[in-house]
Amino acid sequence: MLNWQAYPRLKLASQHFGKTPADLSADEQIQLEKMLEHQLAMEARILDYAAQAGISVQAADLNAALDEVKKAYADEEVWKVSMAAVKLDLPSLKEALRRELLVSQVMDKVVENIKPLTEEAAKAWYLDHPRQFLQPERRMARHILITIDDANPDNYEETSYARLLDIRGQLIQSPGKFAALAMRYSECPTAVNEGKIGLVKAGLLYPELDAALFQLPERGFSNILRSPMGFHLLWCEKIHPAVPMPLDEAVPKIIAAQLDHAKKKLQKQWLTWLMQQEA
């Protein structure tokens, strides 16, 4: 008897809990089984539809799906060991993938007649919704990091702070020295690139650094900041204000987003209809 359900169980555990089924807590196991039951009930209805519509999976597509699964593992042996750990043999995996591909084919067929927006309609949407197409403010930033190490007198907390405070004083007087001082003193890998973090938008750095950077004026220096990495000095080298996304860049995104939304909406409606039909 094939154990193909081990595969959707493994995928659900990974997607929702970031664990293998064996590593789930008792409460998580209960949640997993409820999700699996719901998924399999819906899948059974879809596969019945596929059979009635004469939809089937080609061997080449099944082999390609199997190859994709194997790519997630370091090598063939690691893959075999991992499959054995969840009691999933090759025939069972192929059956699970066959079912998965059938579901995908049916869902694609449901939306095959949806037409994407025309370029003209996408351009009109762009003009009617300008705020949706603003590229966020970005800042060209550099930093110098001095780490903290209780085993190294040069990097005791108070010593590291004092060293960076002295560097800040030098830079306030001579901002042009930033590249040289970053390369000489910074203990971050960015030191080899003159302390350049690069062009960043809000939310990409440590919260402590992010908040400080986006309050600085152009060419301004931060106070000494603390993060889990150590002490930082930030320099906001240049501010790139929020600007509208160019029309030729926005139009393909609008068309793709609208098409994706329309497909998901129709698929959801179709699934609701399917589940309401008598078995």
Side-chain angles (χ1 to χ4, degrees):
M1 181 177 179
L2 296 180
N3 184 34
W4 60 265
Q5 291 186 11
Y7 183 66
R9 182 178 282 107
L10 176 64
K11 288 189 69 173
L12 285 172
S14 176
Q15 291 168 354
H16 292 273
F17 304 104
K19 303 176 183 177
T20 64
D23 294 327
L24 298 179
S25 68
D27 286 343
E28 288 169 340
Q29 287 280 2
I30 293 172
Q31 293 179 56
L32 175 65
E33 292 307 318
K34 287 181 178 179
M35 287 188 288
L36 182 62
E37 180 181 2
H38 175 74
Q39 177 174 310
L40 295 182
M42 187 174 294
E43 181 181 278
R45 289 295 187 94
I46 295 172
L47 296 188
D48 284 345
Y49 177 90
Q52 295 171 18
I55 299 172
S56 60
V57 174
Q58 300 299 311
D61 294 332
L62 184 56
N63 289 332
L66 181 60
D67 288 341
E68 281 300 310
V69 170
K70 290 182 178 182
K71 284 180 183 178
Y73 299 87
D75 54 43
E76 184 88 5
E77 188 59 32
V78 173
W79 170 68
K80 289 180 179 179
V81 170
S82 300
M83 292 300 98
V86 292
K87 299 180 174 60
L88 188 59
D89 57 23
L90 184 57
S92 298
L93 176 58
K94 283 189 172 183
E95 173 60 14
L97 292 174
R98 185 191 71 82
R99 297 170 71 92
E100 195 174 71
L101 287 169
L102 270 176
V103 169
S104 180
Q105 288 181 215
V106 170
M107 299 310 292
D108 285 344
K109 184 174 179 60
V110 168
V111 297
E112 65 182 358
N113 293 322
I114 292 181
K115 304 298 183 186
L117 281 180
T118 63
E119 284 197 12
E120 292 72 18
K123 289 176 181 177
W125 179 271
Y126 173 89
L127 295 174
D128 289 341
H129 302 82
R131 291 185 176 275
Q132 292 187 20
F133 301 99
L134 281 178
Q135 292 180 332
E137 176 185 305
R138 296 168 297 163
R139 298 193 169 206
M140 182 61 71
R142 300 188 191 223
H143 84 144
I144 294 174
L145 166 69
I146 304 295
T147 60
I148 299 168
D149 183 355
D150 292 337
N152 182 356
D154 288 338
N155 286 79
Y156 286 168
E157 183 167 347
E158 60 274 15
T159 309
S160 293
Y161 182 90
R163 287 169 59 201
L164 193 52
L165 191 62
D166 178 68
I167 293 170
R168 184 180 188 276
Q170 295 180 54
L171 290 172
I172 295 296
Q173 297 298 318
S174 303
K177 292 182 178 180
F178 197 99
L181 293 179
M183 292 177 70
R184 181 175 179 182
Y185 294 112
S186 182
E187 298 170 10
C188 177
T190 58
V192 298
N193 196 29
E194 301 177 341
K196 290 180 182 177
I197 298 175
L199 195 60
V200 297
K201 60 183 180 181
L204 295 182
L205 304 179
Y206 281 111
E208 304 89 336
L209 307 185
D210 197 77
L213 176 62
F214 282 86
Q215 290 176 3
L216 289 175
E218 189 167 299
R219 308 289 292 177
F221 292 95
S222 71
N223 292 320
I224 307 303
L225 305 168
R226 176 76 178 267
S227 84
M229 295 175 65
F231 290 116
H232 301 256
L233 172 65
L234 284 173
W235 184 31
C236 179
E237 191 172 7
K238 187 172 180 60
I239 296 175
H240 295 258
V243 293
M245 182 184 296
L247 179 62
D248 60 351
E249 183 180 335
V251 165
K253 294 180 183 293
I254 295 169
I255 292 173
Q258 184 276 338
L259 184 60
D260 182 64
H261 175 75
K263 285 182 176 181
K264 287 179 178 177
K265 181 178 179 181
L266 181 56
Q267 287 169 341
K268 184 176 181 180
Q269 291 172 341
W270 184 82
L271 285 172
T272 299
W273 167 83
L274 183 67
M275 297 304 289
Q276 290 172 346
Q277 304 307 299
E278 292 186 6

